[in-house]
Amino acid sequence: MKTIKEINERIKKGEAVVFTAEEIVEFAEKKGFKKAAQLVDVVTTATFGPMCSSGIYFNIGQSKPRIKLGGGKVTLGGVPCYAAFAAGDLFLGANALPEEDPRNAIYPGEFKYGGGHVIQDLIEGKDLILEANAYGTDCYPRRHLRTYINIKDLNEVILFNMRNCYQNYNVAVNVSDKPIYTYMGILKPNLGNANYCSAGSLSPLLNDPYYKTIGIGTKIFLAGAVGFISWWGTQHNPGVERTEKGIPKCPAGTLSLIGDLKETDPSWLIGTSMYGYGATLSVGVGIPIPVLNEEILSYVCVKDEDIVAPVVDYAKGYSPENSDVLGVVNYAQLKSGKIELAGREIPTGSLSSLKKAREIAGILKAWIKEGKFFLSEAQGKLPSADSGYRFKTLKERIPKDV
Amino acid sequence: MSKKRIVLHFPKELVDKSIVYKLVKDFNLEFNILKAEVNPKEEGLLVLEIKGDEDDFNKGIEYLNKTGVRIQPLSQDVSMDRAKCVDCTACIPLCPTKALVKNPETLEVEFVKEKCIACGICVHVCPYKAMSIVF
């Protein structure tokens, strides 16, 4: 048994023993679980992939005369922002698109530039045009504003993910006879390919399946900066069916993340265009897991072959509730480049970059070993498997016409 | 016997002429059409894989040149911007000729130019715009 305080003492002295979630498996097999649990302090996990529920909120300061953006209309880099707060505060979501973007009117749409790309341009230090139209008040008389904005001129710019780090995800295929364009990439007809989106055994919540160490207030690597887990993510669904080792067999827990955009690195935050689907943002996340005891060690030793995911036909919508689950495969098979389904070999592609995830796990490991990053105690628990917390589908109720 | 891939650009005035059949008839060359299109300006584009003797190939090219068709070797056309690629592998199962492959050691996506037929699918599928095509 160890405490986070003891682990931080060892990090301070430069004595912490740290492995990535890929490296720990071999080490624990060699040393035995008991010994490894005593020796190892921290295991680092990571993921890098498109996450649509990403955005930034920011404050532009005040112009002279003053302008009230809240309730007005604002674009940054031509992309609409959500102007529904105090005078100088805005929110920009990764999926936002310029008014004039044809979207899927020219099918499949290209979605070359959206909110995610604006966020990338900001981090890269580019000047972007902010254009605002407001209604004017006695205290904020100005109605129009058109100015260049640079990240260094902004007050706060906070990266906020209302959902990230999905604990497991569907494998997407297309059973129909024409190609489909989805957030899981282009899916060729007649089971032409199978796409997945998880770092598998390196992915944060698959290494802490019951959220025993990861919780509200956990300090993390967020796109090259130090960030925090702010809450559980939207669509958090911990009560799904699990394997004997506790691994969810389909999409389950999620995390909400927060950090300072000014501290992030453009290598880990990239504007993304999904053909025929939309614009989004790819985000790199690394989460340390303190090896407090043997139980935690057993979780971080999870292997790709222990993690299974449902193969879902995306030609019929995609939630397991209203679509056919065609089979179950594991991440060792997915990462090999092909899976077997319906007696056929189907090539696989990933939306999540395992190479980037591996790099992030390595960077976080180096930060901890060098005494640059200390672990934080979670201040609140995420609802776990036995909490009764569930994701609800929308039950539509048609409003009565007046 | 050699196999080469070329891109032919047909100016507007040649689009309705029979030209490439002579590669078979007069120069004993075999060809496989990889891509064909006529753009709104009525200029034509044809991507061919040509098989035959080196001598016949050179004579065939000479003939095409004389007709006014512009010829470009295919390998110059598709390129990968390594700085933009995040090695996600979304492109790999979409590539019809396995010109995009994952290196299992480095996990990097590698572009094998010799296998590319410039179909352009990777340009659309890449979420990071790392692949580009210029004819």
Side-chain angles (χ1 to χ4, degrees), chain A residues 63 65 86 90 117 123 125-126 132 135 157 164 185 197 205 225 244 301 320 326 365 392:
Chain A
S63 60
L90 293 164
H117 301 89
I123 313 165
K126 289 186 188 151
Y135 54 83
V157 200
N164 205 325
C197 190
L205 291 179
E244 249 173 56
C301 286
L326 305 172
K365 173 181 154 179
K392 296 188 282 287

Side-chain angles (χ1 to χ4, degrees), chain A residues 48-50 110-113 117 186 188 192-196 270-275 282 335-336 347-356 358, chain B residues 82-98 102-109 120-129:
Chain A
F48 179 93
E110 295 195 72
F111 304 100
K112 283 185 176 166
Y113 194 83
H117 301 89
I186 302 176
K188 293 200 283 185
N193 59 324
N195 281 3
Y196 65 102
I270 304 176
T272 304
S273 304
M274 301 302 300
Y275 194 59
S282 291
K335 286 179 183 176
S336 78
T348 60
S350 175
L351 274 303
S352 164
S353 168
L354 185 60
K355 177 159 183 279
K356 286 229 171 217
R358 192 179 277 179
Chain B
R82 270 301 328 163
K84 286 187 179 169
C85 175
V86 306
D87 302 293
C88 67
T89 74
C91 56
I92 289 178
L94 271 296
C95 177
T97 54
K98 294 192 169 69
K102 179 171 84 172
N103 179 322
E105 295 298 310
T106 63
L107 300 180
E108 254 177 42
V109 175
I121 289 174
C122 56
V123 179
H124 296 307
V125 75
C126 178
Y128 305 94
K129 304 184 193 105

Side-chain angles (χ1 to χ4, degrees), chain B residues 48-77:
Chain B
L48 295 182
E49 183 174 80
I50 299 181
K51 240 188 328 192
D53 284 343
E54 192 70 27
D55 243 22
D56 289 336
F57 179 81
N58 291 338
K59 281 180 195 155
I61 295 291
E62 204 182 309
Y63 151 75
L64 288 173
N65 265 325
K66 276 184 195 155
T67 62
V69 174
R70 188 160 63 81
I71 305 162
Q72 193 188 343
L74 181 63
S75 55
Q76 290 168 6
D77 302 319

Side-chain angles (χ1 to χ4, degrees), chain A residues 219-228 258-260 263 367 372-373:
Chain A
K219 196 156 75 163
I220 61 167
F221 170 109
L222 181 58
V226 171
F228 289 91
I258 195 160
D260 186 349
E263 302 294 322
W367 283 1
K372 290 184 197 161
F373 185 104

